[in-house]
Amino acid sequence: MNVNVQNIIQEMETKRLELKYFAQYYGFSHPSTVRLSQELDELFNHYHRLK
């Protein structure tokens, strides 16, 4: 697997765990939760472009 793809997968997992924490602690509509969700979406899009 390409190193870049592996890095993105690791970033996605880290961001997913961070998002899970923020959603549980602050709620789904909190600006920080929304921002993290958007960042995770960007990582998913980047991953799919590489595949």
Side-chain angles (χ1 to χ4, degrees):
M1 188 176 284
N2 186 327
V3 173
N4 198 23
V5 171
Q6 187 63 34
N7 288 344
I8 297 220
I9 291 170
Q10 289 174 336
E11 286 182 52
M12 287 168 43
E13 182 61 18
T14 300
K15 191 67 65 179
R16 184 189 69 78
L17 291 172
E18 190 176 6
L19 175 60
K20 180 181 174 185
Y21 167 79
F22 269 79
Q24 289 175 341
Y25 191 77
Y26 296 109
F28 288 100
S29 60
H30 189 276
S32 294
T33 305
V34 173
R35 178 184 48 79
L36 287 168
S37 178
Q38 291 169 341
E39 290 174 7
L40 182 57
D41 287 344
E42 288 176 19
L43 287 169
F44 272 115
N45 290 337
H46 187 69
Y47 171 79
H48 285 290
R49 282 192 299 271
L50 292 175
K51 291 305 274 179

